[in-house]
Amino acid sequence: MPDYFDGYLAVVALTLVGAVFVGGGLGANRMLRPNRPTEEKLTTYECGVDPVGDGWAQSYVRYYVFAYLYVVFAVDAVFLFPWATIFSDPGYGMTTLGEMFVFLGFLATGLLYAGKKGVLSWV
């Protein structure tokens, strides 16, 4: 049974070494940096422009849906590349073609649903 836990011991040791390394760097940074806060340094910085108004800004939920759709189609690209590489192998052609049409059918259904809900319009 000791051989089983040797792998975990290496992971724990590397995690501790990494934590000490990061903690040591952050501690050295805190000890070596100058600390002279002024009122100008503590104000909010907006790309060189003095901030106007309060910090509250509303954003539409629709933008999150666009981000979600982007992630869905990025994942689609991740699945399409291995399919394209194995498609040319003998014996896999028709099977992988059918599986990919099922996968693309699911994606098309989701896209049609999003279009029907009006998510894809920028109005």
Side-chain angles (χ1 to χ4, degrees), residues 86-101:
I86 200 170
F87 184 69
S88 63
D89 290 347
Y92 289 108
M94 292 309 289
T95 304
T96 57
L97 184 65
E99 290 173 353
M100 191 48 60
F101 276 126

Side-chain angles (χ1 to χ4, degrees), residues 17-96:
V17 167
V20 167
F21 186 72
V22 170
L26 290 173
N29 180 29
R30 182 171 292 263
M31 289 188 312
L32 296 175
R33 69 181 167 95
N35 188 12
R36 293 184 212 72
T38 62
E39 187 175 337
E40 187 174 331
K41 287 182 183 178
L42 296 176
T43 60
T44 305
Y45 180 73
E46 288 187 13
C47 301
V49 180
D50 291 332
V52 177
D54 59 357
W56 177 254
Q58 289 183 334
S59 62
Y60 293 109
V61 175
R62 182 178 300 185
Y63 297 135
Y64 295 108
V65 175
F66 284 121
Y68 180 71
L69 287 174
Y70 171 76
V71 169
V72 166
F73 287 106
V75 169
D76 173 37
V78 168
F79 284 118
L80 283 176
F81 181 74
W83 171 75
T85 57
I86 200 170
F87 184 69
S88 63
D89 290 347
Y92 289 108
M94 292 309 289
T95 304
T96 57

Side-chain angles (χ1 to χ4, degrees), residues 8-23:
Y8 288 113
L9 185 62
V11 170
V12 169
L14 284 174
T15 302
L16 288 175
V17 167
V20 167
F21 186 72
V22 170

